[in-house]
Amino acid sequence: MADGMEGGGADRTVALVFSGGIALGAYHAGAYAALHEADDSLHPKWLAGASIGAVIAAIIAGNPPERRVERLRRFWDAAAADVVPLASFGLGQLGQEGPWRRAQGWASALQAHLLGRPGMFRPRLFPGAEGDAPGLYDLTPLRGRLEEVIDFGLLNGSKVPRLSVVATDVSTGERIVFDTQRGAHIGAEHLLASCALPPTFAPIEIDGRLLGDGGLSANAPVDLVLDETTPKKLVCLVLDLFAREGGRPRSMADMAARAMDLMFSSQSRLILESRRREHRLRAMVGRLAARLPPEQREDPEIAAVLSEGRTSTATVLHLAYRAPAGEPGVQKTFDFSRTALVERWEAGRRDMQAALRALGTLSQDHAEPAGLAIHEVRG
């Protein structure tokens, strides 16, 4: 793979947007691995993410192309946990089918809640101690792991790919964006802040502001990419860790899991639908400008309106992780069992391969009109 081919070539820019979801983030890694194996023209120029999505984006941006997949695999291999003591009875080797798989997931989540995960987070002895930011778990162990798998000098020194990391000011509710193209110097503390979902994880103070999980603002911050003045052709791959569609809940546990899926996935749907309407209107203004005579286009009031027009084309491929029936419902985000992480990696790989096939089909069709086209992808 050639190093100088990033960014989608001269006529296309590729952006990747990763959402949050703690242990579900192995899906992102598998999806990127599949993209990495594709044609060089599809390698991303812009990476944006919140929470674990910000971590995945930073690992990609903070490594040369030939090391990225290996570093992603190292990160998730270290996070994987056998269920103790049940692993000694073979539970850690069970497959996806049957009630034992769900029992494995619940046991793994319980183990993570009680003991934390080495290199990820640890329980706090005094979660609400006076003077500390309240939180059940401390993300300090994650700092060391990030420094092992990310070259922050490369991340901040390279123009491609651009990296945007999203956090939320816990006091004001304001979304905070750290963007390497806009002068931000992103370090491990910015990634920890993006992952700090209260009250589970204690917020991080940066420059006098108490910052928490970026998912509190937008779990998949695709609007950052779509609101930018785009090149002639933009391809944006949005990877959600929660699916909007799902089965009918048949228990309280199912209902809780479904509520969590809807809470986060609906954010992405609302953002995408609003941007589709906006892009359609901008395209209409752009077409109107081409039909007006010069003397009208030069009128100050009309010119102000016409300046909002765009003739660019943006294509969004929307992928979402669909948890299999064997996962532990609402506790799936804390299931770090090796079985679950491998399954999620493979699910991401399959979905990205499906997205690339869909993109190939779209490329063979006639050119799409200016505006935003959204395509839902199912692996």
Side-chain angles (χ1 to χ4, degrees), residues 64-78:
E66 66 274 10
R67 288 188 181 179
R68 291 172 179 172
V69 175
E70 180 272 325
R71 291 295 171 88
L72 287 168
R73 193 170 292 281
R74 184 201 294 189
F75 178 83
W76 287 107
D77 282 347

Side-chain angles (χ1 to χ4, degrees), residues 258-338:
R258 194 74 198 103
M260 181 171 65
D261 288 345
L262 291 171
M263 179 173 61
F264 287 111
S265 63
S266 294
Q267 294 182 10
S268 300
R269 174 49 50 186
L270 290 172
I271 291 174
L272 289 174
E273 287 299 332
S274 67
R275 270 34 180 208
R276 175 152 50 189
R277 290 192 295 270
E278 178 185 332
H279 277 66
R280 184 168 60 245
L281 289 172
R282 289 182 181 276
M284 293 171 63
V285 172
R287 291 195 297 271
L288 176 62
R291 296 187 178 188
L292 291 177
E295 60 273 14
Q296 291 187 357
R297 291 200 301 266
E298 293 170 3
D299 181 279
E301 291 186 1
I302 297 177
V305 175
L306 298 183
S307 67
E308 299 295 330
R310 293 180 187 170
T311 57
S312 59
T313 299
T315 300
V316 169
L317 296 171
H318 189 198
L319 295 71
Y321 174 61
R322 291 169 172 81
E327 290 213 356
V330 73
Q331 290 299 326
K332 61 188 176 184
T333 58
F334 274 84
D335 179 5
F336 285 89
S337 64
R338 199 169 302 276

Side-chain angles (χ1 to χ4, degrees), residues 53-361:
V55 170
I56 298 299
I59 294 174
I60 297 169
N63 281 284
E66 66 274 10
R67 288 188 181 179
R68 291 172 179 172
V69 175
E70 180 272 325
R71 291 295 171 88
L72 287 168
R73 193 170 292 281
R74 184 201 294 189
F75 178 83
W76 287 107
D77 282 347
D82 290 322
V83 184
V84 180
L86 297 177
S88 62
F89 294 94
L91 187 57
Q93 304 301 319
L94 293 179
Q96 178 178 321
E97 301 299 327
W100 284 108
R101 172 64 183 86
R102 182 175 289 250
Q104 178 193 31
W106 277 98
S108 175
L110 179 61
Q111 179 174 292
H113 281 299
L114 293 176
L115 305 177
R117 286 299 308 131
M120 297 288 285
F121 57 90
R122 64 191 178 203
R124 304 178 80 193
L125 294 178
F126 305 101
E130 187 73 24
D132 289 340
L136 296 174
Y137 301 95
D138 180 7
L139 286 168
T140 298
L142 180 58
R143 179 187 294 271
R145 181 62 46 77
L146 294 175
E147 291 172 350
E148 291 176 5
V149 297
I150 298 174
D151 180 343
F152 284 98
L154 176 64
L155 183 154
N156 289 289
S158 176
K159 294 183 179 179
V160 177
R162 174 182 181 180
L163 176 63
S164 300
V165 170
V166 176
T168 305
D169 187 315
V170 175
S171 299
T172 66
E174 179 185 358
R175 179 167 71 172
I176 308 298
V177 180
F178 303 102
D179 191 320
T180 55
Q181 188 167 297
R182 299 187 181 279
H185 189 278
I186 295 176
E189 65 276 13
H190 300 90
L191 301 178
L192 297 186
S194 185
C195 292
L197 179 64
T200 304
F201 301 111
I204 307 295
E205 185 169 340
I206 298 178
D207 296 331
R209 306 183 81 162
L210 194 61
L211 302 183
D213 197 293
L216 296 172
S217 304
N219 202 41
V222 61
D223 57 308
L224 295 180
V225 176
L226 297 181
D227 289 352
E228 189 92 351
T229 300
T230 60
K232 196 68 177 178
K233 292 182 180 179
L234 169 71
V235 174
C236 181
L237 294 122
V238 183
L239 286 77
D240 259 317
L241 294 180
F242 301 92
R244 192 166 63 107
E245 304 88 358
R248 183 187 181 101
R250 300 188 179 280
S251 67
M252 286 298 293
D254 289 346
M255 188 65 75
R258 194 74 198 103
M260 181 171 65
D261 288 345
L262 291 171
M263 179 173 61
F264 287 111
S265 63
S266 294
Q267 294 182 10
S268 300
R269 174 49 50 186
L270 290 172
I271 291 174
L272 289 174
E273 287 299 332
S274 67
R275 270 34 180 208
R276 175 152 50 189
R277 290 192 295 270
E278 178 185 332
H279 277 66
R280 184 168 60 245
L281 289 172
R282 289 182 181 276
M284 293 171 63
V285 172
R287 291 195 297 271
L288 176 62
R291 296 187 178 188
L292 291 177
E295 60 273 14
Q296 291 187 357
R297 291 200 301 266
E298 293 170 3
D299 181 279
E301 291 186 1
I302 297 177
V305 175
L306 298 183
S307 67
E308 299 295 330
R310 293 180 187 170
T311 57
S312 59
T313 299
T315 300
V316 169
L317 296 171
H318 189 198
L319 295 71
Y321 174 61
R322 291 169 172 81
E327 290 213 356
V330 73
Q331 290 299 326
K332 61 188 176 184
T333 58
F334 274 84
D335 179 5
F336 285 89
S337 64
R338 199 169 302 276
T339 299
L341 298 186
V342 169
E343 289 172 353
R344 293 163 187 164
W345 183 294
E346 288 303 307
R349 181 184 61 81
R350 290 192 302 270
D351 284 0
M352 181 58 75
Q353 289 173 342
L356 295 177
R357 289 193 296 270
L359 184 60
T361 301

Side-chain angles (χ1 to χ4, degrees), residues 5 7-8 12 14 35 38-44 235 237 356 359:
M5 297 292 291
R12 178 170 61 186
V14 177
L35 182 66
D39 186 87
D40 283 339
S41 67
L42 295 174
H43 294 159
V235 174
L237 294 122
L356 295 177
L359 184 60

